[in-house]
Amino acid sequence: MSTADHGARRAALRRLLADRELDVLIVTDLLNIRYLTGFTGSNAALVVDAADEPGAEDRTVVCTDGRYVTQVGEQVPDLRAIIDRASAAALIRTLADRPGVRAGFESHVVTVDALAGWRDAAPNLTLTRCPRLVERLREVKDEHEIGLLRRACTAADVALAALIERGGLRPGRTEREVGRELEFLMLENGADGISFETIVAAGANSAIPHHRPTDAVLASGDFVKLDFGATVAGYHSDMTRTYVLGSAADWQRDVYDLVSRSQAAGRAALAPGAPLAEVDAASRSVIEAAGYGELFQHGLGHGVGLEIHEAPGIGKAGAGTLLAGAAVTVEPGVYFSGRGGVRIEDTLVVREEEPELLTLTSKDLTIV
């Protein structure tokens, strides 16, 4: 399997910094530091030098505390490391010695108090807001990242198949019991962890989009909605499947077919350059044409990667367009309050030809 090219990611960031006429970017979001360096500790800061020259890497510095001396040496062997508990403040002090430096910072992360402290420590430093600059790079996944996403999706696929094969989805069990078993099976089948608290919603609870599992007991005739994901090396999968226990009523078959057609339309609309709002509309219009538009209560999907919800957001108010290499979900749903609901969700990668499907579990109506 390929390895992450963190140097290439920093080089791409330098191009964005040059466009803003900045000398450095102060990175304090830990996931962004992980993306740019590979460091996974719980305390760190990073200064990326913006110059497009070999010496820029020599002036790019990571800082963490004494707990991670060995770890930072192993994970970030290509950058100079400073050891200081107050990581961001320590790097600010190094910049104070460079007069006239124009420094960008992650204004969506840095607190007002921290910013005031930086200005006191380095009064000659020009600080410029750069919200979500690294996140712009993270929106497009490289092949190493896509490989990790595939593995996370496979862990979830295999776990769900094992759950059903061993009879774990059956009347008489509670939502909590099913959720715990599914999470265990993901860990048994290659996951490092779970992406989020697994949603198991049976019967009327399946009409609650983000229901949290309870001691509600699964019964014959129930819709059972499973929304879950696995993580591998920090990368998340996200999948929803809805099953029927015992036998399906006509209304359940009808609503499942409707959501299935809506989801297929959303997947088909995924293409580089497609406006996000139009992708949402392609899926939503199927449900609206059936007269149930008000029962599709959320956006169509979101980006996935180092976070379970990241850019881009695919919804009615989505701004911008899809980019080739973006990893996104497509997850329409129809929810009849007090009765039951269906959501079908996949994780896919936007490609030039057609989207690459990463969650491979069948989406046919399945009666367990």
Side-chain angles (χ1 to χ4, degrees), residues 36-174:
L36 293 167
T37 69
F39 182 67
T40 61
S42 64
N43 177 34
L46 173 70
V47 166
V48 178
D49 192 283
D52 186 17
E53 58 186 39
E57 284 287 76
D58 296 333
R59 295 188 297 272
T60 295
V61 184
V62 64
C63 184
T64 186
D65 64 63
R67 295 171 296 169
Y68 299 114
V69 171
T70 300
Q71 183 176 330
V72 74
E74 292 174 347
Q75 292 183 330
V76 197
D78 52 343
L79 294 180
R80 181 165 65 95
I82 295 174
I83 304 302
D84 194 304
R85 181 74 178 181
S87 296
L91 292 184
I92 290 294
R93 289 195 296 272
T94 69
L95 295 176
D97 298 331
R98 295 171 57 182
V101 169
R102 297 159 298 179
F105 69 97
E106 297 183 303
S107 54
H108 60 297
V109 175
V110 177
T111 66
V112 172
D113 285 349
L115 183 60
W118 293 1
R119 285 178 169 148
D120 289 342
N124 296 325
L125 192 65
T126 300
L127 291 162
T128 301
R129 295 173 64 251
C130 289
R132 304 194 179 281
L133 195 61
V134 180
E135 284 85 345
R136 280 184 52 189
L137 297 176
R138 284 172 45 194
E139 185 172 339
V140 175
K141 273 54 181 183
D142 58 35
E143 289 303 319
H144 173 72
E145 293 177 287
I146 293 170
L148 295 176
L149 289 168
R150 284 196 197 99
R151 289 172 56 190
C153 289
T154 297
D157 278 325
V158 173
L160 179 55
L163 175 75
I164 294 173
E165 182 179 352
R166 61 200 279 173
L169 197 61
R170 65 179 185 271
R173 301 198 81 194
T174 68

Side-chain angles (χ1 to χ4, degrees), residues 27-35 39 41-45 106 109:
V27 185
T28 49
D29 181 278
L30 287 173
L31 287 181
N32 288 341
I33 293 169
R34 179 175 187 162
Y35 176 79
F39 182 67
S42 64
N43 177 34
E106 297 183 303
V109 175

